[in-house]
């Protein structure tokens, strides 16, 4: 099972509630608890969600994109990315934000008994790599890999992320 961002908490909970259904776990850009950075981001995210989608898109782009990747964009590309994000606020977003605000799976980490890879995004301005390291430390035998990317690892370091996952999965076979 692979969990990304908030999905790491969902994956942890699913793994501990249904251990017979999970044989391996990959947790990327995750957290078992909120730190002050995420707490503040959630507050801003919730406040802007209904009032100003364009400003919300700018905020999320700022905190979710690694500096190096952000600086490769031309002003036109940046504006287009923000516009695209602002135009897409999926149904369930308020519930998503509310769920992020409640995450605390720290007690469950010690109960994970499957091989686990934790991928920390080292340039992440939303889910600090410290939180991914805490995930790895809390799960017995977990392997930690750090990838130089912001929260948007799929756009910023897709190949490195995929290589880490494939290497991990190859050892499970």
């Amino acid at each position: 099972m692979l969990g990304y961002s908030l999905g790491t908490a969902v994956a942890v909970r699913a793994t501990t509630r249904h251990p017979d259904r999970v044989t391996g776990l990959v947790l990327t850009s995750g957290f078992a608890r909120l730190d002050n950075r995420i707490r503040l981001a959630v507050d801003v995210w919730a406040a802007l969600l209904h009032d100003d989608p364009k400003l919300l898109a700018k905020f999320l782009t700022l905190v979710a994109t690694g500096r190096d990747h952000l600086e490769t964009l031309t002003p036109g590309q940046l504006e287009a990315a923000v516009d695209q994000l602002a135009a897409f606020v999926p149904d369930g977003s308020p519930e998503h934000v509310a769920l992020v605000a409640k995450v605390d799976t720290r007690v469950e980490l010690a109960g994970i008994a499957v091989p686990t890879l934790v991928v920390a995004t080292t340039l992440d301005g939303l889910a600090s790599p410290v939180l991914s390291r805490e995930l790895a430390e809390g799960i017995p035998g977990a392997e930690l890999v750090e990838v130089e990317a912001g929260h948007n690892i799929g756009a910023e370091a897709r190949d490195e992320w995929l290589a880490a996952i494939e290497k991990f999965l190859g050892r499970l076979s």
Side-chain angles (χ1 to χ4, degrees):
M1 178 179 294
L2 187 145
Y4 164 75
S5 189
L6 173 60
T8 62
V10 174
V12 164
R13 183 125 320 142
T15 301
T16 57
R17 288 187 180 176
H18 306 284
D20 55 316
R21 295 184 179 183
V22 180
T23 57
L25 192 57
V26 177
L27 305 174
T28 302
S29 300
F31 49 97
R33 65 166 182 95
L34 270 61
D35 65 1
N36 287 335
R37 177 176 295 278
I38 294 177
R39 191 170 282 105
L40 288 170
V42 165
D43 288 348
V44 172
W45 190 351
L48 294 174
L49 192 56
H50 301 292
D51 297 335
D52 195 338
K54 178 89 175 218
L55 187 57
L56 173 61
K58 288 180 178 183
F59 169 72
L60 291 176
T61 300
L62 176 65
V63 298
T65 307
R67 185 184 192 294
D68 294 347
H69 184 75
L70 194 59
E71 294 305 319
T72 66
L73 302 175
T74 67
Q77 290 171 323
L78 178 60
E79 188 67 25
V82 167
D83 287 343
Q84 183 179 15
L85 185 57
F88 179 71
V89 177
D91 292 340
S93 290
E95 295 83 1
H96 177 109
V97 175
L99 184 56
V100 170
K102 296 177 184 177
V103 167
D104 191 342
T105 59
R106 290 176 286 183
V107 172
E108 296 163 86
L109 299 180
I112 295 175
V114 296
T116 302
L117 172 67
V118 177
V119 180
T121 43
T122 61
L123 304 175
D124 200 329
L126 186 58
S128 162
V130 169
L131 297 175
S132 288
R133 291 180 195 121
E134 287 178 4
L135 275 173
E137 290 168 5
I139 299 170
E143 174 185 350
L144 175 68
V145 171
E146 296 190 350
V147 175
E148 190 172 301
H151 198 71
N152 192 5
I153 190 172
E156 297 178 40
R158 182 197 67 190
D159 294 342
E160 189 174 348
W161 184 30
L162 182 59
I165 293 168
E166 287 176 337
K167 182 177 177 183
F168 171 73
L169 293 176
R171 290 193 302 267
L172 297 184
S173 306

